[in-house]
Structures are given as C-alpha cells and as structure tokens.
Amino acid sequence: MKRYICALVLCFASLCLSCCSEKKDDITVLSSQEIYFFYQTTCPHCHTAAQYIKNKYPMLKIVSRDIKLPGNMALFKQAVEKYNIRGAAGTPLICFGDHYIMGWGPNDKQLFDYYARPYLDLVMQNK
C-alpha cells in the first residue's frame, strides 16, 4: 500500500511540474530572455506554483530545473548570486530577467502575473 501511495505522489508531482518541461540541453548561463523555474519534487509549494502556471499560462515557455539533478544546482546557484539572495535560498525560485519570486505564498500569483506580462507580450508577437 505504501508503494502504491508513493507511486501516486510521484505521478502527481510529474504532472504538476510538467507545465515547465525539463529541457534536455545544458544551460550554463542564465538568460534574461527566459523564465526559469527551479524546483524540488518534494516541495509542496513548487507543485502549487507549477499548477497555477500550467493552468493560467499554458502558452508560456518556461525553463524548468529540478535542483536535485546533476548540473541544475550550478544554474540555481548562479540565480542566487544574480539576485543577491542572502541566507537560505529556497524553492520554488522563479526568475524573470531582473526579478524573481522565491517561495509561493498568497500574493505570489499576482506577482507572477506582473513579472510574466512582458514574456506573454513576446509570445503574442511571435504568433
């Protein structure tokens, strides 16, 4: 029974985080032209944020990185340095050019909407 529940949780986690599909390429430098979504599969706030983004912005291209996978921690650390995050850096960490959201609370939906607006404009221009 315990294995069944673990399998269900893992399936749900992969579905929630699929809004920000993991790219196969090796990104070594952050680009201000991309939105980055750093997460951990065990983080409930990451799942909540991913579900919100997937439901509201299915057309938005997001570079998603599980910080537990090899190579992704270096990019995460680069983001922490870029945004001058002091203390414990956490997930989700969503990076938009000069702005970021760390964690996911009640006001972060509005903040995400605001920071994502220029990226949505680019999507609409490219249609």
Side-chain angles (χ1 to χ4, degrees), residues 74-120:
L75 197 62
F76 178 75
K77 287 179 180 178
Q78 190 181 128
V80 169
E81 286 180 24
K82 175 181 178 176
Y83 297 108
N84 201 24
I85 297 171
R86 299 288 179 224
T91 57
L93 177 62
I94 309 168
C95 306
F96 315 75
D98 294 332
H99 306 286
Y100 73 93
I101 299 170
M102 186 169 63
W104 193 257
N107 297 324
D108 290 324
K109 290 178 183 180
Q110 291 176 332
L111 199 55
F112 184 92
D113 296 344
Y114 180 76
Y115 290 154
R117 193 169 301 141
Y119 297 90
L120 289 170

Side-chain angles (χ1 to χ4, degrees), residues 17 20-23 27 30 36-44 46-47 63-81 85 87-95 101-103:
L17 295 172
C20 317
S21 59
E22 190 85 22
K23 286 186 172 182
I27 298 173
L30 293 175
Y36 296 90
F37 184 91
F38 294 99
Y39 69 92
Q40 298 180 73
T41 57
T42 57
C43 169
C46 295
H47 296 288
V63 178
S64 178
R65 293 292 186 255
D66 179 348
I67 65 169
K68 296 295 183 181
L69 294 178
N72 294 341
M73 182 54 83
L75 197 62
F76 178 75
K77 287 179 180 178
Q78 190 181 128
V80 169
E81 286 180 24
I85 297 171
T91 57
L93 177 62
I94 309 168
C95 306
I101 299 170
M102 186 169 63

Side-chain angles (χ1 to χ4, degrees), residues 11-75:
C11 286
F12 179 72
S14 67
L15 284 174
C16 285
L17 295 172
S18 68
C19 78
C20 317
S21 59
E22 190 85 22
K23 286 186 172 182
K24 300 297 182 215
D25 58 348
D26 293 325
I27 298 173
T28 56
V29 178
L30 293 175
S31 167
S32 62
Q33 304 302 310
E34 303 280 352
I35 298 174
Y36 296 90
F37 184 91
F38 294 99
Y39 69 92
Q40 298 180 73
T41 57
T42 57
C43 169
H45 301 292
C46 295
H47 296 288
T48 303
Q51 191 64 42
Y52 174 77
I53 297 165
K54 179 181 179 181
N55 289 341
K56 187 157 184 184
Y57 300 105
M59 76 300 285
L60 200 57
K61 180 184 167 201
I62 298 177
V63 178
S64 178
R65 293 292 186 255
D66 179 348
I67 65 169
K68 296 295 183 181
L69 294 178
N72 294 341
M73 182 54 83
L75 197 62

